[in-house]
Amino acid sequence: MTPEYFEACSIIEMHDDDVKALGLVPNQLVKVTSECGSVIVKSVRGRQALYPGLAFIPQGVYANQIVPPRTQATGEPQYSGFPVTVEPAPEGERRKSTLELVQSAVGMWRGDQ
Amino acid sequence: MAKKIENVGCPFCGVCCDDLVVTVSDDGKKILEVENACIIGSTVFHRAMEDRHTLPRLRQPDGTYKEISYDEAVDYTAKVLYNAKKPLIYGFGSTNCEGMAAAAKVAEKAGAVLDNCASICHGSSFLAIFDNGYPSCTLGETKNRADVIVYWGANPAHAHPRHMSRYSIFPRGFFTGKGHKGRKIIVIDPRHTDTAQVADIHLQVKQGHDYDLFNAFRTVVRGHDIPDEVAGIKKEQIIEAVEIMKKARFGTIFYGMGLCHSDGRNHNVDIAISLTRDLNDFTKWTIMAMRGHYNITGPGAVWSWQYGFPYCLDLTKRDIAHMNPGETSSVDLAMREEVDAFVNIGTDAAAHFPIEPVKNLRKHPWITIDPHPNMATEISDLHIPVGIVGVEVPGIVYRMDNVPIQYRSVIDPPEGVPSDEELFERIYQRLCELEAEDAAKQPAKAVPEGVRAGE
């Protein structure tokens, strides 16, 4: 719930080619959508290079907004390797706080107190 | 004069570093300095006293939290568990074995499902081990003998920061006096991670295609031909890696979430174990799961001893335990809406489960037992603060290679805050009282004939 957590987890890393293809400027907000939801995160250039077509969001509140809960009957959700679409975030969209994301999802969000 | 405490264990990751030196203030209440720990471990100690509550907090009808006494919190928890048809008690990555044993007593009394974070982490490994065995070793063996190290789907540079320097790559061991120079390092990961940065060979496998690559490795080990490219890796590179592995004097494969969380789950692990077994026809190879939390190996050990099963324990039949991950695992139970109360202990399910199961669990009472506020406490009905194991509470923890380590405490918990073990013992006592009260209300049952001893 700290500012450090917010900055560390609300990001997505992609290959430069993909960033270019999406027409993104550095540190632009993007909307990431999977089969079970979407989340607004910031597109950053990571140090740990990945190949084109692959994206990485650190494990945490933001990633888990879009992680499919299907477990292949093992108990383990599909934390890694699920298809998403990435697009520039619509005008006016912002990254939500961790508390807002989780509490809204379960109907407990009461606004910034 | 500040006091230096040596041989302190670090309550963060599965490496369980036990060489920390912690300096505390004269009154023994403040942590001043932490030596030898990585940045994550030192943060655990330095932030221990921040953001602490000293009393349980109960959610009020208006949505705010109100402080209540520990007696009231114990009573509330016991009643939730007693009245639920199928409560789920989940977590345990971050507490001591004493706490896990006490929690198991509560789960047994309540007829609950008892599960730990292995369920969403190395549970795949357990399934593979059940199928195929576990040719493993302790970390000291790797340090003293291994001349080839494979990190497959693991990134210790970020997840187990001192793993490479304590056990696998850099230390000079008994038969590995040249340290790093005498070892070959192979990293297999779709990303060029910081771990890949220190490797001699990095195979940038296509995400989700590890099974194909293992198949290729095994095929080459057995002397057969493979296609020109498998899983994005060139045939020559595969042959080169296999040759290095076959020529090793002693090798260890460390693997992580790259295998357990991708398509295939347990099958990625069981073929990794098969490869290890194949390699033992030629030389010595071992395999080890990069277990996550410092004591996530603990519940596997404690509950195996108590019930015979490491995780996903269905204790609802009360006199016989049942385990079938996929059926009795936390996320699957939550997705099928099969549980009607949730206790989050030593974990943060609200942050680290996918959001769908969180929504389902939140339809029922949710109790969080944790030293600090986190996502789970912020959507709970009740938050019960406890002491931090390794900082304020001593106890046994199990390292990733199942070696038990005695952790010590360096400061006292805040006044009146119990350990997990004490808390669960109190909940157990209260459950027994509730049961006795109910029994007293009902007419005495006739004792069936012919079952008393001596008749």
Side-chain angles (χ1 to χ4, degrees):
Chain A
M1 289 184 284
T2 59
E4 292 99 310
Y5 184 91
F6 175 75
E7 284 304 335
C9 292
S10 60
I11 56 162
I12 185 168
E13 295 175 8
M14 287 178 286
H15 191 272
D16 286 345
D17 291 356
D18 292 329
V19 173
K20 211 179 285 175
L22 288 166
L24 300 174
V25 295
N27 298 328
Q28 187 174 341
L29 296 188
V30 294
K31 184 179 182 185
V32 188
T33 308
S34 76
E35 68 197 53
C36 63
S38 67
V39 67
I40 304 283
V41 289
K42 186 163 84 178
S43 166
V44 301
R45 193 162 199 274
R47 272 183 331 122
Q48 306 187 105
L50 12 73
Y51 59 76
L54 205 61
F56 172 79
I57 302 179
Q59 161 69 326
V61 167
Y62 297 86
N64 283 322
Q65 299 299 309
I66 56 170
V67 167
R70 53 189 155 86
T71 70
Q72 300 183 336
T74 64
E76 304 242 17
Q78 189 80 38
Y79 282 116
S80 182
F82 57 92
V84 295
T85 55
V86 182
E87 56 196 327
E91 200 64 35
E93 288 280 359
R94 62 190 171 85
R95 283 184 291 175
K96 290 179 179 163
S97 73
T98 51
L99 207 54
E100 180 176 357
L101 275 178
V102 177
Q103 288 194 332
S104 305
V106 298
M108 293 175 81
W109 178 242
R110 302 159 67 237
D112 289 307
Q113 295 131 40
Chain B
M1 262 298 285
K3 193 170 55 170
K4 258 185 196 262
I5 306 170
E6 298 194 331
N7 302 323
V8 174
C10 173
F12 185 70
C13 82
V15 179
C16 294
C17 299
D18 51 357
D19 61 343
L20 273 51
V21 180
V22 178
T23 310
V24 298
S25 62
D26 268 344
D27 57 4
K29 287 191 190 322
K30 258 190 92 175
I31 291 167
L32 303 175
E33 201 186 341
V34 182
E35 292 165 73
N36 296 346
C38 69
I39 179 71
I40 308 176
S42 104
T43 307
V44 168
F45 283 92
H46 282 300
R47 294 220 176 138
M49 294 309 294
E50 284 175 24
D51 226 0
R52 291 294 290 277
H53 290 269
T54 52
L55 280 173
R57 301 178 293 157
L58 183 68
R59 188 80 61 187
Q60 303 298 303
D62 69 356
T64 59
Y65 260 144
K66 181 180 152 238
E67 286 189 340
I68 59 171
S69 71
Y70 272 96
D71 279 339
E72 289 170 295
V74 165
D75 181 62
Y76 182 96
T77 308
K79 280 180 178 153
V80 163
L81 289 172
Y82 192 74
N83 292 325
K85 282 200 180 108
K86 192 170 181 177
L88 169 61
I89 306 178
Y90 168 84
F92 302 101
S94 303
T95 183
N96 56 17
C97 290
E98 294 84 345
M100 292 158 187
K105 264 169 75 179
V106 168
E108 186 176 336
K109 179 63 79 182
V113 177
L114 184 61
D115 195 13
N116 63 68
C117 310
S119 191
I120 61 160
C121 189
H122 270 289
S124 305
S125 301
F126 276 122
L127 291 173
I129 290 165
F130 299 154
D131 279 347
N132 219 356
Y134 194 44
S136 194
C137 65
T138 59
L139 287 167
E141 302 242 32
T142 299
K143 174 187 166 183
N144 287 310
R145 296 175 188 277
D147 58 343
V148 181
I149 301 286
V150 177
Y151 281 113
W152 199 312
N155 188 6
H158 287 253
H160 299 84
R162 295 182 71 216
H163 191 267
M164 297 183 292
S165 59
R166 269 171 80 79
Y167 298 114
S168 63
I169 300 183
F170 302 111
R172 295 165 188 269
F174 194 85
F175 300 109
T176 51
K178 287 187 187 157
H180 186 192
K181 279 190 201 135
R183 304 189 211 252
K184 277 269 185 235
I185 315 300
I186 302 172
V187 170
I188 298 159
D189 200 298
R191 292 193 298 155
H192 190 76
T193 57
D194 287 325
T195 306
Q197 201 78 25
V198 299
D200 299 293
I201 293 177
H202 173 220
L203 302 181
Q204 198 163 16
V205 60
K206 266 171 72 185
Q207 203 286 333
H209 289 257
D210 299 271
Y211 196 92
D212 315 11
L213 193 56
F214 276 117
N215 250 332
F217 269 59
R218 291 189 72 198
T219 307
V220 174
V221 166
R222 288 159 174 251
H224 302 289
D225 197 22
I226 54 168
D228 290 340
E229 190 180 306
V230 177
I233 310 296
K234 297 249 176 316
K235 178 178 178 177
E236 305 81 64
Q237 291 178 286
I238 294 171
I239 291 171
E240 183 197 3
V242 169
E243 281 310 311
I244 291 171
M245 291 171 84
K246 272 169 89 170
K247 285 192 186 129
R249 280 184 295 126
F250 185 103
T252 305
I253 298 173
F254 294 103
Y255 69 94
M257 295 302 101
L259 302 189
C260 294
H261 280 170
S262 300
D263 279 340
R265 310 285 199 281
N266 53 311
H267 298 303
N268 298 327
V269 181
D270 67 43
I271 195 167
I273 294 167
S274 295
L275 172 65
T276 310
R277 290 162 58 145
D278 288 351
L279 283 164
N280 275 290
D281 284 345
F282 302 92
T283 178
K284 292 191 175 63
W285 272 86
T286 53
I287 187 164
M288 194 184 300
M290 296 285 281
R291 302 304 302 273
H293 291 287
Y294 66 95
N295 199 19
I296 190 53
T297 313
V302 172
W303 299 344
S304 290
W305 158 65
Q306 289 181 308
Y307 301 103
F309 301 116
Y311 74 126
C312 295
L313 285 132
D314 185 336
L315 302 173
T316 55
K317 294 185 189 71
R318 295 187 189 254
D319 57 354
I320 188 162
H322 168 68
M323 184 206 72
N324 182 19
E327 179 198 351
T328 60
S329 38
S330 295
V331 169
D332 290 292
L333 286 167
M335 286 309 291
R336 290 194 304 263
E337 303 203 46
E338 284 181 22
V339 288
D340 57 353
F342 184 57
V343 177
N344 175 105
I345 145 81
T347 191
D348 188 352
H352 295 129
F353 277 177
I355 199 69
E356 284 304 314
V358 175
K359 285 187 205 167
N360 286 346
L361 290 170
R362 185 49 270 193
K363 291 173 187 166
H364 306 284
W366 179 315
I367 297 162
T368 300
I369 300 167
D370 202 283
H372 294 278
N374 58 27
M375 282 302 122
T377 64
E378 296 317 292
I379 63 168
S380 291
D381 297 301
L382 174 65
H383 169 210
I384 312 179
V386 284
I388 308 170
V389 169
V391 181
E392 302 161 347
V393 178
I396 297 283
V397 312
Y398 276 74
R399 201 167 66 185
M400 62 165 65
D401 53 353
N402 281 290
V403 170
I405 296 175
Q406 176 75 54
Y407 272 25
R408 59 204 311 179
S409 61
V410 295
I411 53 173
D412 292 330
E415 179 93 15
V417 172
S419 68
D420 291 308
E421 184 188 15
E422 289 160 358
L423 181 69
F424 277 111
E425 287 295 345
R426 284 170 72 175
I427 296 168
Y428 178 77
Q429 290 305 327
R430 187 70 193 115
L431 275 171
C432 293
E433 286 167 21
L434 291 173
E435 203 176 53
E437 282 166 24
D438 250 12
K441 272 185 235 154
Q442 282 156 11
K445 283 182 194 144
V447 179
E449 279 173 32
V451 297
R452 275 167 292 194
E455 280 185 4

